[in-house]
């Protein structure tokens, strides 16, 4: 692999398109002819909006495919479906400014996410068709999102109102996430880590709910490839030199009798870099391996997400996976800027899927963390004399883990106003990417945790960033359920951070998170959020993306049992209203149970 060769990508090849279906009143002899141009214009406007704002994880604008003709009846609907199949369409958006023949024009593919945008006008009201076709979708068990502007527009007004834009973009993001998962793999490297339930990888869940498969790879594959040199030697040497330049070593917190020699630490760096290359190649393949005579290994496992068991069967004897996980989850390495490889520590597949959801919705890298400690205002003031205020007034959640969190989580990227941010790799300046490493230190792993050695990252996430934590859980008798909390990363005075941070392992990255509270139930305060969390791990995504997560979960038939969004932000398929309009959480559970898993 040469200096200019990019990293192997999980997002190469043809990616699913968004299909746009302009529907029209089929009555020829004056009606259809007066509407054909307007219908096709509406489809083109939608395509222009989506192409301008939605990108694939590789940074390319989303591809939109428009039906060859307006759809006035079932024959044209069938022709459109045939074109969509040829063109690899994975998301379906129907648009119209007028009445059309409801069930004759609707999209009948049961596996493709669907939405219908009915123009709010009075001349030939699209709202009438919207209501009729959504009733057809509900009656046939094919849920679709309904999109309808709040304000009446004139028929010749070709603008897209802001509220309609918001819903079109939310549907496109979430529908595309569903399509991008379909047919791909979760690469399970190892098995269950320390009895953690999330790392008991459930193939049925992946197949039925996500349309993915689970590829199981024993950790012996790492040992074998390291021993035999089954990785690109030239890239390994270049990566090791890059690490020596860009990864600064920090304090060794081991007791004197447990410190490791310089020779041993150098060996651990070498193994850590090899592990990063091997994990990436296992997930997405590498044509260089085929050139070396390993054609089978060069193919990889078609994975867009994976997990590494590590503890304890690996880490008792080999370096831990912290460097591998942190660097692969980061959008910059020795090959330059690139999409992150979504890799969960301790093979927590449920956290891995949550990371994948956040990444597909935002294009950004994700922070994997333990939800380790709730710090009450009283406890913080007792130990430090500091009074928590503002977003942190009801307390803080300490997000910390042994090193797999993306280094993008340092907050060294900047938004348009110069505030700390986490951005998609295609928006990140090289100086911002390098700053993430400059604000991270690498510490010899604590021997009690990792007898086989390795490295742990340490950084502090910059505050004042909007953020969302989320977690997918499995409940016997229900299936998958999602929980989330929007809030903010918080800055603490340096001396306060040091006092609190030193009470746990100081070699690990820290994010101080304050959920948005003051509501009812579990969001009355930060303690209640912590107390209701469903597992030891969580994922933090940059931005307030809770509404997108709710819509995505509905498409996958996964109910959301905990969130702090106002009702007006909840956007689910129209059929969810048939299961109740007062208790939206209960209706979500009933609808998901009724429709069952998308691919089950």
């Amino acid at each position: 692999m040469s200096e200019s060769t990019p990293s192997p990508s999980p997002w190469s090849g043809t990616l699913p398109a968004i299909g746009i279906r302009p529907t029209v009143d089929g009555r020829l002899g004056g009606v259809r002819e007066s509407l054909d141009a307007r219908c096709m214009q509406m489809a083109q406007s939608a395509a222009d909006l989506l192409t301008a704002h939605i990108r694939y994880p590789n940074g390319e604008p989303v591809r939109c495919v428009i039906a060859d003709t307006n759809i006035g009846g079932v024959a044209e609907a069938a022709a459109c479906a045939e074109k969509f199949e040829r063109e690899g369409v994975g998301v379906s958006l129907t648009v119209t400014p007028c009445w059309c023949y409801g069930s004759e024009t609707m999209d009948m593919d049961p596996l493709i996410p669907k939405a219908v945008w009915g123009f709010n006008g009075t001349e030939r009201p699209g709202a009438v068709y919207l209501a009729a076709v959504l009733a057809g979708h509900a009656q046939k068990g094919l849920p679709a999102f309904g999109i309808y502007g709040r304000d009446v527009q004139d028929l010749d007004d070709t603008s897209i109102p802001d509220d309609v834009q918001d819903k079109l973009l939310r549907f496109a993001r979430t529908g595309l996430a569903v399509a991008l998962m379909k047919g791909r793999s979760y690469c399970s490297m190892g098995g269950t880590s320390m009895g953690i339930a999330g790392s008991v990888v459930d193939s049925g869940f992946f197949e039925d709910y996500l349309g993915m498969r689970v590829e199981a790879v024993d950790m012996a594959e790492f040992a074998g490839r390291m021993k035999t040199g089954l990785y690109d030697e030239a890239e390994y040497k270049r990566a090791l030199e890059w690490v020596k330049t860009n990864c600064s070593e920090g304090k060794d917190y081991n007791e004197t009798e447990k410190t490791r020699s310089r020779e041993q630490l150098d060996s651990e760096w070498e193994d850590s870099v090899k592990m990063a290359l091997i994990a990436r190649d296992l997930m997405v393949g590498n044509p260089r391996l085929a050139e070396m005579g390993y054609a089978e290994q060069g193919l990889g496992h078609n994975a867009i997400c994976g997990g590494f068991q590590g503890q304890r069967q690996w880490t008792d004897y080999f370096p831990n996976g912290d460097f591998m996980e942190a660097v692969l989850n980061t959008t910059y390495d020795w090959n330059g800027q690139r999409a992150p490889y979504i890799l969960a520590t301790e093979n927590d597949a449920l956290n891995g899927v949550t990371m994948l959801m956040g990444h597909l919705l935002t294009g950004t890298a994700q922070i994997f963390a333990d939800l380790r400690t709730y710090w009450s205002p009283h406890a913080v003031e007792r130990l430090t004399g500091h009074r928590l205020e503002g977003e942190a007034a009801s307390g803080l959640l300490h997000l910390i883990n042994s090193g797999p969190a993306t280094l993008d989580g340092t907050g060294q990227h900047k938004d348009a106003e110069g505030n700390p941010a986490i951005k998609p790799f295609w928006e990140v300046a090289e100086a911002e990417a390098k700053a993430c490493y400059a604000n991270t230190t690498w510490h010899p792993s604590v021997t009690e945790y990792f007898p086989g050695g390795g490295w742990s990252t340490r950084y502090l996430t910059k505050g004042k960033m909007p953020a969302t934590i989320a977690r997918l859980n499995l409940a016997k008798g229900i299936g998958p359920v999602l929980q989330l909390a929007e809030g903010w990363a918080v800055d603490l005075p340096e001396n306060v951070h040091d006092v609190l941070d030193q009470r746990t392992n100081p070699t690990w990255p820290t994010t101080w998170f304050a959920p948005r509270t003051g509501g009812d139930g579990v969001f009355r305060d930060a303690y209640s959020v912590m107390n209701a969390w469903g597992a030891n791990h969580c994922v933090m995504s940059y931005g307030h993306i809770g509404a997108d997560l709710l819509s995505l979960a509905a498409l996958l038939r996964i109910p959301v049992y905990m969130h702090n969004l106002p009702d007006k932000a909840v956007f689910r398929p129209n059929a969810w209203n048939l299961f109740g309009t007062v208790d939206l959480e209960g209706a979500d559970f009933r609808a998901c149970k009724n429709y069952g898993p998308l691919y089950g």
Side-chain angles (χ1 to χ4, degrees), residues 580-591:
T581 57
V582 176
D583 173 16
L584 298 185
E585 185 175 293
D588 186 28
F589 273 81
R590 291 187 288 274

Side-chain angles (χ1 to χ4, degrees), residues 414-439:
K414 298 292 186 289
D415 65 13
E417 287 73 43
N419 300 310
I422 301 176
K423 299 189 293 191
F425 79 92
W426 59 84
E427 295 181 5
V428 179
E430 186 175 9
E432 293 175 316
K434 290 181 176 179
C436 295
Y437 285 86
N439 284 273

Side-chain angles (χ1 to χ4, degrees), residues 67-134:
D68 290 334
T69 68
N70 290 317
I71 300 168
V74 67
E76 288 162 317
C80 175
E82 184 181 341
K83 179 179 182 178
F84 281 8
E85 186 174 3
R86 288 196 314 269
E87 296 284 345
V89 165
V91 184
S92 171
L93 171 64
T94 298
V95 303
T96 189
C98 61
W99 163 255
C100 316
Y101 304 159
S103 60
E104 295 185 27
T105 61
M106 65 187 283
D107 182 347
M108 295 286 286
D109 190 317
L111 300 182
I112 292 182
K114 301 171 189 27
V116 183
W117 171 25
F119 182 78
N120 185 358
T122 55
E123 289 87 350
R124 297 182 185 274
V128 179
Y129 169 70
L130 178 63
V133 77
L134 290 175

Side-chain angles (χ1 to χ4, degrees), residues 50-62 176 360 426-427:
L50 301 183
T51 302
H53 291 90
I54 304 294
R55 294 196 183 213
Y56 294 114
N58 63 10
E60 297 176 0
V62 72
L176 189 61
L360 294 178
W426 59 84
E427 295 181 5

Side-chain angles (χ1 to χ4, degrees), residues 512-533:
W512 298 109
F513 177 77
R516 186 174 62 241
T517 58
D520 297 326
V522 298
F523 287 97
R524 58 188 176 272
D525 54 35
Y527 169 80
S528 301
V529 174
M530 174 78 175
N531 201 40
W533 207 252

Side-chain angles (χ1 to χ4, degrees), residues 257-400:
E257 63 273 13
K258 293 184 178 180
T259 58
R260 306 189 290 276
S261 69
R262 183 70 253 174
E263 182 182 14
Q264 176 62 34
L265 294 175
D266 289 342
S267 174
E268 292 168 16
W269 271 125
E270 294 169 1
D271 285 346
S272 294
V273 172
K274 292 173 186 177
M275 290 168 63
L277 296 177
I278 291 167
R280 182 201 65 192
D281 293 350
L282 283 168
M283 290 178 67
V284 304
N286 188 344
R288 177 69 184 116
L289 300 186
E291 295 171 8
M292 295 164 55
Y294 300 100
E296 179 184 359
Q297 291 85 346
L299 293 173
H301 289 271
N302 194 37
I304 56 172
C305 184
F308 181 72
Q309 175 196 332
Q311 297 185 78
R312 285 188 42 218
Q313 286 82 354
W314 179 268
T315 57
D316 277 5
Y317 309 101
F318 295 93
N320 63 26
D322 288 8
F323 172 83
M324 167 185 70
E325 293 157 357
V327 168
L328 292 182
N329 279 316
T330 298
T331 55
Y332 180 72
D333 65 13
W334 47 88
N335 289 325
Q337 288 160 244
R338 48 142 178 88
Y341 303 93
I342 302 302
L343 184 60
T345 195
E346 295 163 347
N347 200 26
D348 185 347
L350 297 179
N351 229 45
V353 170
T354 312
M355 294 169 72
L356 179 62
M357 289 178 171
H359 172 59
L360 294 178
L361 292 172
T362 66
T364 60
Q366 306 291 296
I367 293 179
F368 181 114
D370 278 355
L371 192 56
R372 184 164 284 244
T373 309
Y374 164 70
W375 279 101
S376 69
H378 171 74
V380 172
E381 189 169 8
R382 177 178 65 84
L383 289 172
T384 69
H386 177 72
R387 182 181 296 273
L388 296 177
E389 297 176 340
E391 290 110 356
S394 73
L396 288 171
L397 305 183
H398 193 179
L399 276 53
I400 183 171

